[in-house]
Amino acid sequence: MGFRASVVALALTLLGIASPAQAVATIDPATGPNFMMPFACGEAWKGTTRAWHSPSSLAIDWNAPDDAGHPVLAAASGTVTKVVFGTSSYGIYVVIDHGANTSTLYGHLQTTWLAVGQRVEQGQAIGLLGSTGNSTGPHLHFEERLGSTVVPAYFARTPWKMGSVATSTNCPDQPITGDWNGNGATDLGVVRHKPDGVTVVQRFPRKIVTVPFGKHWDWIRTGDWNGDKRSDLALRPASTTTWTLRSPDGALKSLTYGAVQTVPLTGDWDGDGIWQLGVWRPDMARFALRAKSGTSRYISFGSVSSIPVTGDWDGNKATDVGIYNPANATFLLRAADGGVSTVQVGDLGSVPLTGDWNGDGITDVGVWNPANATFTLRWVPKGTQQVQTKQVVFGNSR
């Protein structure tokens, strides 16, 4: 390639436009994963590159004021394929596979708490922005890839223009369930991420209630902290082990439990009506359930790719554990005696959830489909063998 052609190709690259000779690897923004900026809903970030950017000038360096230590979020749902600490180039970095030979890379992280094989959802916090590896200052090195090739990036189906400042629309709804009115039957809801904050949208039989609670990178959970049979809220930031429990009157209580590598859980482990905390550690496939005394009971179950779930599968009032395998849309529910039952519901991309949909004292299973914001609830009425299902559209699709 001559000097003039090289200059033209470089200029096109810096504008985010591939020259004809370069247009050999792209992801169609209309049909590929619906990538979002890797930052919280409503945040403004600048994305730049340079001619000598390694491994490609199509990779983006993200910056914002006071960005060191800021949470980095998954641009799309997928499975973690690489977690690498301390290379001389990317430093601490993570790669997430999104299917159809597409992936994203997040480099120069200060830290991450993910494990290879772990399933992550769009908008989930995956690490903190840093300056590890071959970096001269805090920033996030980000790549969208087809195979091993860095391709022109796009967000919300729109090609990225290098040097731009844009506001993140990484604002996914996430399903949540709880007995909001204490009638014994589990209700539906979503955790809604908006530019002005996070709210839990609770769906009652005849009304909708919104409760502002948490930040965009918090895990949000539910539990009955005072034994009044109504579900309250709890949160744990992705990068800490400090939980905040919210009572019905809005009062907050803090507890420390687990590790940053864990997925937070809640349940009534001893069946006394007061819920406690728990965690599931993906890399060890192990549950830790906290008793009122502060001691823990450990249960090894599942694998790193599992999604943990909890519920009272046998109706004895004590919460048991289980896992959901996203590869085959199958629940494995573990009873107190160690017996395991298998239930298949959902499809690829479904998000698992549990609840007592008919109020008979036995926890059932279900899924939420992000593509159409549809809950599919499955239950077997007590004393029968006939499976019942119900679909409810609620929330915003992704």
Side-chain angles (χ1 to χ4, degrees):
M1 183 183 293
F3 175 75
R4 182 176 179 181
S6 298
V7 172
V8 171
L10 175 59
L12 291 171
T13 297
L14 293 176
L15 290 172
I17 304 171
S19 69
Q22 293 173 310
V24 294
T26 60
I27 304 172
D28 184 352
T31 59
N34 191 13
F35 293 122
M36 296 293 169
M37 288 171 55
F39 303 104
C41 180
E43 293 184 347
W45 289 78
K46 184 175 184 177
T48 61
T49 191
R50 53 193 183 278
W52 58 92
H53 204 178
S54 177
S56 169
S57 57
L58 296 174
I60 302 174
D61 281 347
W62 292 103
N63 281 110
D66 301 319
D67 53 10
H70 196 81
V72 174
L73 311 186
S77 300
T79 301
V80 179
T81 56
K82 281 190 178 182
V83 178
V84 180
F85 289 87
T87 67
S88 59
S89 54
Y90 290 122
I92 299 173
Y93 74 98
V94 169
V95 177
I96 300 175
D97 174 32
H98 306 289
N101 206 27
T102 65
S103 62
T104 49
L105 181 147
Y106 311 75
H108 305 313
L109 298 174
Q110 180 185 108
T111 189
T112 182
W113 39 81
L114 300 182
V116 171
Q118 185 176 352
R119 174 74 183 181
V120 297
E121 290 297 316
Q122 179 194 319
Q124 181 177 329
I126 62 171
L128 301 179
L129 185 146
S131 186
T132 57
N134 186 19
S135 171
T136 58
H139 69 282
L140 175 68
H141 176 100
F142 177 83
E143 301 172 12
E144 292 180 12
R145 291 177 165 185
L146 182 62
S148 59
T149 303
V150 183
V151 297
Y154 64 89
F155 303 102
R157 307 292 183 193
T158 302
W160 178 254
K161 183 178 179 181
M162 292 295 184
S164 299
V165 176
T167 299
S168 174
T169 56
N170 198 344
C171 311
D173 274 6
Q174 299 160 337
I176 195 169
T177 61
D179 185 357
W180 313 130
N181 56 6
N183 69 350
T186 302
D187 305 301
L188 306 178
V190 293
V191 179
R192 177 151 296 161
H193 296 257
K194 303 187 297 180
D196 60 353
V198 177
T199 59
V200 179
V201 185
Q202 301 173 346
R203 181 184 185 271
F204 287 79
R206 294 181 180 82
K207 63 179 179 178
I208 303 293
V209 173
T210 60
V211 182
F213 190 61
K215 297 182 178 179
H216 296 292
W217 44 83
D218 293 335
W219 297 96
I220 308 292
R221 296 292 186 258
T222 60
D224 182 1
W225 318 126
N226 61 357
D228 67 355
K229 302 186 184 304
R230 296 175 54 187
S231 296
D232 305 308
L233 301 176
L235 65 80
R236 199 203 81 191
S239 60
T240 77
T241 60
T242 300
W243 298 63
T244 300
L245 311 185
R246 183 184 188 277
S247 64
D249 61 4
L252 304 178
K253 176 184 178 180
S254 292
L255 286 174
T256 299
Y257 186 66
V260 295
Q261 299 95 334
T262 57
V263 177
L265 307 167
T266 59
D268 184 2
W269 315 126
D270 60 7
D272 70 348
I274 306 291
W275 284 43
Q276 300 295 325
L277 308 181
V279 295
W280 185 75
R281 184 157 175 168
D283 59 333
M284 302 174 67
R286 189 177 74 176
F287 290 84
L289 312 180
R290 182 185 187 275
K292 292 179 180 62
S293 63
T295 60
S296 293
R297 176 165 59 97
Y298 299 97
I299 300 172
S300 294
F301 192 59
S303 65
V304 67
S305 61
S306 303
I307 300 174
V309 295
T310 61
D312 180 5
W313 319 129
D314 54 12
N316 70 348
K317 300 186 183 302
T319 304
D320 306 304
V321 300
I323 58 99
Y324 182 74
N325 185 342
N328 58 14
T330 300
F331 288 87
L332 297 179
L333 310 178
R334 183 186 185 277
D337 61 3
V340 177
S341 57
T342 302
V343 180
Q344 189 167 25
V345 59
D347 49 26
L348 187 64
S350 294
V351 180
L353 46 97
T354 62
D356 183 358
W357 315 129
N358 61 346
D360 66 355
I362 297 175
T363 303
D364 308 295
V365 299
V367 295
W368 186 73
N369 187 338
N372 55 20
T374 299
F375 288 84
T376 299
L377 312 179
R378 180 194 185 279
W379 71 96
V380 178
K382 186 181 294 186
T384 76
Q385 300 296 319
Q386 187 171 357
V387 174
Q388 303 289 320
T389 61
K390 177 181 179 180
Q391 290 194 324
V392 179
V393 178
F394 189 66
N396 295 327
S397 61
R398 301 180 193 168

